[in-house]
Amino acid sequence: MQVILLHPRFKTKTVTLTHRHLALAVMMFILSVVMAASLLYYLTIQHAARLKFPFMEALAVSAPQDDSSKKDRYIKENLAAMAIKLGEMQAQLMRLDALGERVQGLAGVKPQEFNFREPPGRGGMVEKTPQVEPLSMSEFQRALDAMARDVENRADYMNVVETTLMSHKIRSKLLPTIQPVNVGYNASGFGWRLDPFTGRNAFHEGIDFASPTGTPIVAAAGGVVIAAEYHHQYGNLLEIDHGNDIVTRYAHASRLLKKVGDIVKRGQHIADIGSTGRSTGAHLHFEVLVKGVQQDPHKFLSAGGDRTKAGTIAMQAY
């Protein structure tokens, strides 16, 4: 490519441009554009506040403000979600406290020994630990979710414990472990003895409590009355079904206060001592039957408040 230069003071001059010259010119043009853009950025963005250009100041501040607003929005959204999760956990803890108090009552733990509403005392030595980086928002969210799952799992476990304790308590109330008559001794025990009428060796299937006529007889355990009648040997007879194939029998009563189908509570007055039927004097003949077989009532009465022991005796009778 040739370029002809004309000037009135000089002769005509011809300049030849090669590809190398063109490439160099393009590079110089690009470099000048980049330098101009850099200068413009330096004068406008970096020093907009110093130069007091209002529109440029707004442009310079808008970029970091956009990033800050996005970060603030992200933090607010996460805080709102965590606040909802925290509210759910507080509700679960309140329910867990109430459940713990019910379980505490069923287990027989005194309230002053274990208070669910007060944090336990803690303490210990202060040890030097390496500096730990603060939790990020995502890490804190994961920790909060894990704690919520732990609280829910413990609530499920406490529900199972409460159900089990309630079942044990109900069964224990249906075991004949309280003495049906308030006397200090029994006139005749369970097992072989001389029959008071025949004088021969005979098996006594219960125990006798001697007491004046009219002395109250109470239910040895809760249950349903399945017999309230006169028997030619037992006299006025009352039988109570306690479930799990356990039945108690109260004989020779002077008066029956319950009828068939009545539900009686543990320790409830059900009859009065008498001397009806095959009897030599006022007393209560008391029997405990497991699956229709007479058991020694002393085994149940001696268990007393130890319901676990009474339950073990009942299981052994099976």
Side-chain angles (χ1 to χ4, degrees), residues 156-176:
D156 292 340
Y157 175 75
M158 290 289 284
N159 279 316
V160 173
V161 172
E162 181 192 25
T163 302
T164 304
L165 286 174
M166 181 66 74
S167 177
H168 285 316
K169 187 171 185 178
I170 292 173
R171 284 202 300 268
S172 68
K173 287 186 176 180
L174 300 179
L175 292 173

Side-chain angles (χ1 to χ4, degrees), residues 9-149:
R9 296 184 181 181
F10 305 100
K11 298 179 180 180
T12 302
K13 187 176 182 180
T14 303
V15 179
T16 303
L17 299 178
T18 63
H19 292 289
R20 183 177 179 180
H21 292 127
L22 291 176
L24 183 60
V26 171
M27 290 179 63
M28 291 296 292
F29 175 75
I30 294 174
L31 182 61
S32 62
V33 171
V34 171
M35 291 181 65
S38 299
L39 181 60
L40 180 63
Y41 173 81
Y42 179 79
L43 292 175
T44 57
I45 304 300
Q46 295 294 332
H47 298 277
R50 187 182 302 174
L51 295 176
K52 305 299 182 181
F53 293 154
F55 69 95
M56 294 307 299
E57 288 179 1
L59 181 62
V61 174
S62 63
Q65 281 185 344
D66 290 342
D67 294 338
S68 178
S69 63
K70 290 181 180 178
K71 185 180 295 185
D72 289 343
R73 192 182 310 114
Y74 172 77
I75 292 175
K76 289 180 180 179
E77 290 175 355
N78 279 272
L79 286 176
M82 286 188 289
I84 295 173
K85 179 65 71 174
L86 184 60
E88 294 174 354
M89 289 178 62
Q90 288 175 339
Q92 288 178 338
L93 285 175
M94 291 178 63
R95 187 170 68 248
L96 196 58
D97 286 343
L99 182 59
E101 290 179 356
R102 293 200 302 271
V103 172
Q104 172 182 287
L106 289 173
V109 180
K110 296 180 181 179
Q112 58 269 25
E113 293 179 2
F114 197 91
N115 191 347
F116 282 89
R117 299 190 182 277
E118 292 183 3
R122 295 180 295 178
M125 295 180 60
V126 177
E127 298 181 357
K128 293 183 179 180
T129 57
Q131 187 175 1
V132 181
E133 294 294 330
L135 287 177
S136 65
M137 188 68 71
S138 59
E139 290 173 339
F140 182 72
Q141 181 69 47
R142 287 195 295 270
L144 194 64
D145 292 340
M147 183 176 292
R149 287 193 298 269

Side-chain angles (χ1 to χ4, degrees), residues 165-312:
L165 286 174
M166 181 66 74
S167 177
H168 285 316
K169 187 171 185 178
I170 292 173
R171 284 202 300 268
S172 68
K173 287 186 176 180
L174 300 179
L175 292 173
T177 55
I178 67 170
Q179 192 165 293
V181 181
N182 187 20
V183 295
Y185 72 99
N186 58 283
S188 181
F190 179 86
W192 292 97
R193 67 169 187 176
L194 293 176
D195 187 274
F197 289 95
T198 65
R200 295 179 181 178
N201 203 25
F203 192 84
H204 189 224
E205 297 176 334
I207 56 178
D208 294 337
F209 296 95
S211 190
T213 299
T215 302
I217 301 171
V218 300
V224 179
V225 177
I226 58 174
E229 59 190 14
Y230 182 85
H231 189 277
H232 68 282
Q233 291 192 4
Y234 287 117
N236 289 327
L237 171 70
L238 192 74
E239 290 184 353
I240 301 176
D241 187 347
H242 305 286
N244 296 320
D245 296 320
I246 299 176
V247 174
T248 52
R249 181 175 290 165
Y250 310 81
H252 308 304
S254 62
R255 182 176 62 143
L256 302 179
L257 302 179
K258 299 297 177 181
K259 62 183 183 298
V260 175
D262 286 348
I263 298 175
V264 296
K265 297 180 180 179
R266 183 185 182 88
Q268 186 176 356
H269 187 191
I270 57 174
D272 293 332
I273 280 184
S275 184
T276 57
R278 193 171 184 265
S279 170
T280 60
H283 73 286
L284 166 67
H285 175 80
F286 177 65
E287 295 182 9
V288 177
L289 298 88
V290 178
K291 285 193 172 181
V293 179
Q294 283 83 358
Q295 307 293 324
D296 186 356
H298 276 302
K299 294 181 179 180
F300 292 89
L301 299 180
S302 62
D306 191 348
R307 295 163 182 170
T308 303
K309 182 179 179 182
T312 302

